[in-house]
Amino acid sequence: MSIVIPNRDEARVLKQCVNGLLHETRYPNIELVIVDNGSIEAAVVELYRSLEREGRAVIVPFDRPFNFSAACNAGAAAARGDLLLFLNNDIEVIQPDWLDELMRWAERPDVGIVGAKLLYPDRTIQHAGVVFGLGLVSHIFSRAPEGISGLFGSSECYRNYLAVTGACQMMRKEVFRHLGGYDERFRLVFSDVVLCLEARKAGYRVVYTPYARLVHHESYTRKREDSAQDMELLARYLRATGFVEDPYLHPELDPKFFVPALRPPFDPTPRQYIRQYVERVLSNVAAG
């Protein structure tokens, strides 16, 4: 199985990630494919050389302005495994069997993409699935404690979703090729979401498992940024595909809260919120 990691410098973060993959993960048959976007730190260059000498990684040069989608596609093209895991460089391994759990799901023929539970360093939830209708699209249960349970059920249950985050997305190589990879028009964000939507359109399930737990030091090497261009592309994609609402988010939940809460009477529904958000984005573009 191949793990594709886009990276630029930040030796400490990358070393922690690589050490967890190679020495703290139970599954042994791992190929690391690190897509390097012009690193200049001596410690990173030495780490690359060490990994290559030991036959533990393939370093793929990516000598162009950063594009998350294109970097992932470049890594996938160099990968030899039948399973692909796209992983951020700021992921920390905290349990040895996390990869086995993802693989069990990714190998099911009806599953297209599977994602893990990601935690912030303080162990609150960063990702337990992606839903439309919180804002436009957001991580449900974000900043909630592990084990939370309420109106939407629990963060500790297997779930079908429309999407899981690209910070940790696993799929079979045949699925990745069938879907055409990540859409490189999306430079920073949302190509992971669109890939999941395309998987569902193709008849696959997108699955979240809470039993693959990782810590995500979110956007450590790149400040989080919702690109206006990427947002416009997503809004146009949703309108072109006739997207109306998320079938996995109850219409009586409040679109203002990541931790599910009951929607007050007469407040907009998640479906209305999606429509209004898309219309606002495209109206702003038209207004120049």
Side-chain angles (χ1 to χ4, degrees):
M1 85 119 353
S2 298
I3 302 178
V4 177
I5 306 173
N7 184 69
R8 177 184 171 89
D9 291 322
E10 300 297 347
R12 184 179 65 82
V13 172
L14 182 61
K15 283 181 178 179
Q16 177 176 258
C17 180
V18 168
N19 182 71
L21 295 174
L22 297 181
H23 304 298
E24 298 172 12
T25 297
R26 185 169 67 187
Y27 186 78
N29 190 20
I30 294 173
E31 175 195 47
L32 298 185
V33 181
I34 301 175
V35 183
D36 181 69
N37 188 213
S39 293
I40 58 174
E41 287 184 5
V44 171
V45 174
E46 179 52 38
L47 176 61
Y48 289 166
R49 289 173 178 167
S50 174
L51 291 170
E52 288 181 312
R53 282 196 304 268
E54 297 170 7
R56 305 306 300 268
V58 175
I59 311 301
V60 178
F62 188 75
D63 300 323
R64 50 188 281 197
F66 184 77
N67 179 308
F68 174 81
S69 308
C72 287
N73 288 343
R80 295 173 294 178
D82 292 331
L83 285 174
L84 300 175
L85 174 64
F86 297 93
L87 196 70
N88 279 19
N89 63 350
D90 51 2
I91 293 289
E92 177 186 354
V93 173
I94 56 173
Q95 64 179 68
D97 62 345
W98 68 280
L99 193 54
D100 304 80
E101 170 67 12
L102 289 175
M103 291 173 65
R104 277 193 289 270
W105 283 98
E107 289 174 338
R108 291 176 58 98
D110 61 322
V111 173
I113 300 174
V114 59
K117 182 203 288 181
L118 303 183
L119 305 172
Y120 287 109
D122 66 2
R123 296 305 196 268
T124 58
I125 294 170
Q126 191 258 338
H127 170 267
V130 173
V131 298
F132 282 84
L134 301 184
L136 176 57
V137 57
S138 299
H139 294 179
I140 199 160
F141 294 119
S142 179
R143 284 297 182 187
E146 277 197 278
I148 188 171
S149 183
L151 292 173
F152 193 68
S154 171
S155 61
E156 306 308 299
C157 297
Y158 293 119
R159 286 183 182 270
N160 294 320
Y161 279 116
L162 286 183
V164 291
T165 180
C168 180
Q169 274 188 345
M170 180 181 284
M171 65 203 80
R172 300 186 302 282
K173 183 181 284 185
E174 66 186 65
V175 172
F176 184 78
R177 288 174 173 169
H178 178 208
L179 300 176
Y182 293 97
D183 186 337
E184 296 184 10
R185 293 175 301 170
F186 293 89
R187 188 174 66 88
L188 296 177
V189 289
F190 303 132
S191 63
D192 53 347
V193 172
V194 168
L195 188 68
C196 288
L197 293 175
E198 289 294 303
R200 191 167 184 271
K201 282 169 56 180
Y204 296 110
R205 294 164 60 201
V206 176
V207 172
Y208 157 75
T209 171
Y211 301 109
R213 297 169 65 252
L214 298 158
V215 169
H216 185 199
H217 301 267
E218 185 180 23
S219 300
Y220 187 95
T221 59
R222 175 181 58 82
K223 290 185 178 180
R224 182 167 175 78
E225 168 185 0
D226 286 342
S227 160
Q229 178 182 345
D230 290 349
M231 178 61 77
E232 177 192 346
L233 286 169
L234 179 62
R236 292 191 183 282
Y237 172 89
L238 295 175
R239 175 169 287 184
T241 56
F243 186 89
V244 174
E245 66 181 340
D246 190 328
Y248 301 114
L249 184 70
H250 196 283
E252 293 305 322
L253 292 177
D254 194 327
K256 299 188 296 296
F257 295 100
F258 298 138
V259 179
L262 191 64
R263 179 176 64 87
F266 310 113
D267 274 15
T269 65
R271 175 177 180 151
Q272 291 170 327
Y273 210 89
I274 291 168
R275 185 184 70 246
Q276 293 168 4
Y277 206 110
V278 169
E279 289 176 353
R280 184 164 64 250
V281 168
L282 296 181
S283 295
N284 289 341
V285 171

